[in-house]
């Protein structure tokens, strides 16, 4: 395989299949037959909706990154890759039982302490901005504490928070159900079934039951067996998941679930019932509390996207570059571990000085960092206004 083909394939696979570890309670589910997206969930903050990154979006990122591996546009990448091939052919290693190995590996952010692993950082730096990894790590440290503060605000204002929940459900439901019209036949024939499933879920929650994975599997939609309807059925299921998640946030509030059921049955009755419910609640600060809730979600969405981008970088460096078609020679233990470590440190330091040639990828990564910081600032501002 030609070097350009290998590097292009490695980068494409990294964007399609990033390696995202459990990070501060956030996990990623890969594509499935019925969810054609990467799905990020915060398992510590149950108020937050999962963040979905569609395969269509991922393919757009792959498209803007195609030039990053073009030999004429990124000569630096191929220079560093040539050095990497040389290190692979030498295959010099530091003995695993060398005392400093574990400490230095963590300090240099390497999965293995070798010149090959360090050189992969230089190859990455020719594509991804090297500053991203360190900035991302710092931002992750602040993520959990920031959301914990916001949750305290929500739980200390239960009336306003409850109203924000039912308002969010109603807004999402009205937006989704508009799509189930006669102009889209597959959605239209599933409209009644869609409402029925939501009503059933609300009833289960009122009787203190849990909406499990089996609920989705046991509740089919019309047209599932037809390949031509696959995308629309996936849309039905994804919309159902979103609304079920919002319903589950109201699981301990029977009044809210009643309101949700009235909305499904008759929007006019729902409006009257909501007005009566609001008249019994002290909700002077509902707009401030709603802002906190929405900004929390925005922070998570931006954090999940950073998690994805970091997963792309990590997968390219630590998985797909290692799948090079070159044949490895038998390991050659170094006679001077300290000297080898100094060489490794130098390579890692040099990687931090490389400016990536892929302008569009750099823009994607720097913009994501900027968007996250702005989302955090908005959350902090909304928290201050709610106090």
């Amino acid at each position: 395989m030609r070097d350009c083909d290998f590097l292009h394939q490695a980068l494409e696979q990294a964007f399609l299949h990033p390696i995202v570890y459990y990070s501060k309670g956030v996990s990623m589910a890969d594509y499935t037959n019925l969810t054609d997206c990467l799905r990020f969930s915060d398992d510590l903050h149950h108020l937050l909706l999962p963040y979905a990154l569609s395969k269509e979006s991922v393919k757009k990122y792959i498209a803007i990154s195609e030039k990053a591996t073009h030999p004429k546009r990124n000569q630096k990448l191929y220079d560093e890759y040539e050095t990497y091939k040389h290190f692979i052919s030498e295959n010099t290693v530091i003995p695993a039982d060398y005392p400093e190995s574990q400490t230095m590996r963590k300090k240099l952010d390497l999965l293995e302490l070798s010149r090959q692993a360090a050189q992969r950082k230089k190859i990455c730096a020719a594509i991804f901005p090297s500053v991203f990894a360190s900035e991302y790590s710092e931002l992750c440290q602040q993520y959990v504490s920031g959301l914990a503060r916001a949750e305290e605000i929500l739980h200390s204002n239960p009336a306003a928070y409850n109203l924000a929940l039912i308002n969010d459900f109603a807004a999402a439901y009205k937006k989704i159900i508009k799509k189930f019209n006669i102009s889209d036949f597959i959605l239209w024939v599933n409209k009644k079934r869609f409402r029925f499933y939501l009503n059933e879920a609300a009833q289960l929650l009122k009787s203190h039951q849990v909406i499990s994975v089996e609920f989705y599997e046991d509740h089919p939609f019309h047209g599932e067996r037809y390949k031509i309807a696959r995308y629309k059925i996936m849309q039905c299921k994804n919309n159902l998941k979103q609304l079920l998640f919002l319903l589950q946030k109201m699981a301990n509030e029977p009044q809210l679930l009643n309101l949700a059921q009235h909305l499904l049955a008759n929007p006019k009755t729902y409006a009257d019932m909501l007005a009566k419910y609001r008249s019994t609640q002290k909700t002077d600060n509902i707009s401030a509390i709603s802002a906190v809730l929405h900004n929390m979600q925005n922070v998570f969405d931006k954090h999940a996207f950073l998690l994805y981008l970091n997963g792309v970088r990590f997968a390219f460096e630590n998985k797909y570059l290692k799948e090079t078609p070159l044949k490895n020679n038998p390991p050659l233990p170094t006679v001077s571990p300290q000297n080898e470590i100094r060489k490794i440190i130098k390579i890692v330091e040099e990687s931090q000085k490389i400016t990536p040639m892929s302008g569009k990828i750099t823009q994607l990564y720097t913009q994501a960092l900027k968007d996250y910081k702005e989302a955090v600032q908005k959350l902090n501002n909304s928290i201050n206004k709610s106090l």
Side-chain angles (χ1 to χ4, degrees):
M1 183 185 291
R2 296 184 307 168
D3 289 351
C4 58
D5 293 332
F6 168 71
L7 289 169
H8 176 75
Q9 179 180 291
L11 185 59
E12 182 176 303
Q13 287 303 305
F15 273 101
L16 279 170
H17 302 286
I19 298 177
V20 175
Y21 289 106
Y22 188 86
S23 173
K24 300 294 182 182
V26 181
S27 56
M28 184 194 81
D30 214 329
Y31 317 98
T32 67
N33 288 334
L34 291 175
T35 55
D36 202 16
C37 63
L38 297 171
R39 195 175 181 84
F40 297 82
S41 303
D42 190 316
D43 306 320
L44 297 179
H45 302 93
H46 300 294
L47 306 179
L48 300 170
L49 277 166
Y51 172 75
L53 185 63
S54 69
K55 190 171 278 189
E56 286 73 24
S57 296
V58 171
K59 286 178 179 177
K60 288 179 183 177
Y61 303 141
I62 292 172
I64 69 168
S65 67
E66 283 181 358
K67 294 177 182 176
T69 57
H70 195 287
K72 291 184 179 179
R73 294 178 177 271
N74 199 346
Q75 185 58 49
K76 181 65 175 172
L77 173 68
Y78 288 87
D79 292 343
E80 299 301 344
Y81 186 60
E82 283 298 321
T83 304
Y84 178 56
K85 290 193 292 185
H86 173 67
F87 288 159
I88 286 179
S89 66
E90 284 186 343
N91 204 11
T92 303
V93 298
I94 296 174
D97 58 354
Y98 188 71
E100 291 184 37
S101 292
Q102 188 77 353
T103 306
M104 290 306 300
R105 185 179 63 76
K106 290 182 179 179
K107 184 177 180 181
L108 297 173
D109 186 31
L110 296 171
L111 292 190
E112 60 192 53
L113 194 61
S114 68
R115 274 183 283 162
Q116 298 93 298
Q119 186 63 22
R120 288 198 295 271
K121 284 199 175 295
K122 292 188 77 174
I123 296 172
C124 270
I127 296 177
F128 308 103
S130 57
V131 70
F132 178 85
S134 56
E135 279 202 52
Y136 166 79
S137 181
E138 288 176 17
L139 293 173
C140 279
Q141 298 302 319
Q142 308 161 4
Y143 172 72
V144 172
S145 58
L147 290 194
R149 186 177 172 224
E151 278 194 335
E152 286 177 12
I153 297 294
L154 297 179
H155 291 313
S156 62
N157 293 270
Y161 172 57
N162 284 343
L163 263 173
L165 288 181
I166 189 62
N167 287 343
D168 280 358
F169 175 81
Y173 170 76
K174 289 174 183 177
K175 182 178 179 181
I176 287 170
I177 208 66
K178 279 182 181 178
K179 301 173 185 176
F180 286 69
N181 56 53
I182 192 66
S183 64
D184 196 318
F185 182 73
I186 297 297
L187 294 181
W188 180 69
V189 297
N190 279 296
K191 186 174 184 179
K192 186 176 180 180
R193 185 171 288 201
F194 187 83
R195 282 177 169 152
F196 180 81
Y197 291 166
L198 285 172
N199 187 68
E200 182 184 351
Q203 201 60 38
L204 288 172
L205 292 171
K206 283 165 70 175
S207 59
H208 308 292
Q209 297 185 55
V210 176
I211 306 299
S212 63
V213 176
E214 286 73 23
F215 186 91
Y216 304 105
E217 296 173 350
D218 296 340
H219 290 71
F221 286 96
H222 295 299
E224 283 195 11
R225 57 180 177 166
Y226 300 110
K227 191 174 181 180
I228 195 172
R230 178 179 174 271
Y231 177 77
K232 291 299 177 182
I233 297 302
M234 187 192 304
Q235 195 175 338
C236 284
K237 288 184 177 288
N238 286 339
N239 287 332
L240 182 64
K241 280 186 178 180
Q242 179 184 348
L243 293 174
L244 288 180
F245 189 89
L246 291 171
L247 274 179
Q248 287 176 92
K249 290 164 76 171
M250 301 183 280
N252 299 319
E253 297 294 333
Q255 284 182 289
L256 298 184
L257 293 171
N258 274 332
L259 284 169
Q261 287 179 304
H262 280 295
L263 174 64
L264 298 172
N266 188 323
K268 177 66 171 64
T269 306
Y270 163 76
D272 295 339
M273 297 289 290
L274 180 64
K276 289 179 183 177
Y277 175 77
R278 289 196 66 159
S279 67
T280 65
Q281 308 294 316
K282 184 181 178 182
T283 55
D284 297 337
N285 59 344
I286 180 149
S287 1
I289 297 304
S290 291
V292 171
L293 181 60
H294 296 156
N295 285 325
M296 269 185 78
Q297 183 67 51
N298 192 36
V299 165
F300 170 66
D301 291 347
K302 298 297 186 290
H303 175 72
F305 188 57
L306 286 181
L307 200 70
Y308 165 73
L309 293 180
N310 189 60
V312 171
R313 179 200 63 81
F314 185 92
F316 182 72
E317 176 184 334
N318 295 293
K319 181 179 180 182
Y320 299 110
L321 280 179
K322 289 178 71 174
E323 295 176 356
T324 172
L326 299 173
K327 184 179 179 181
N328 276 3
N329 289 322
L332 179 66
T334 179
V335 294
S336 176
Q338 275 295 348
N339 187 46
E340 190 69 17
I341 287 175
R342 279 194 290 272
K343 291 178 182 178
I344 293 168
I345 292 172
K346 184 181 178 183
I347 294 170
V348 171
E349 288 175 345
E350 287 173 350
S351 74
Q352 296 164 357
K353 299 174 184 176
I354 294 175
T355 301
M357 300 302 293
S358 50
K360 289 186 177 180
I361 293 182
T362 299
Q363 186 179 2
L364 178 67
Y365 274 69
T366 53
Q367 187 63 46
L369 286 169
K370 181 182 176 183
D371 290 346
Y372 178 76
K373 291 173 186 176
E374 288 177 355
V376 169
Q377 187 58 53
K378 286 180 181 178
L379 176 60
N380 291 336
N381 291 343
S382 63
I383 288 174
N384 292 334
K385 287 180 182 178
S386 70
L387 297 175

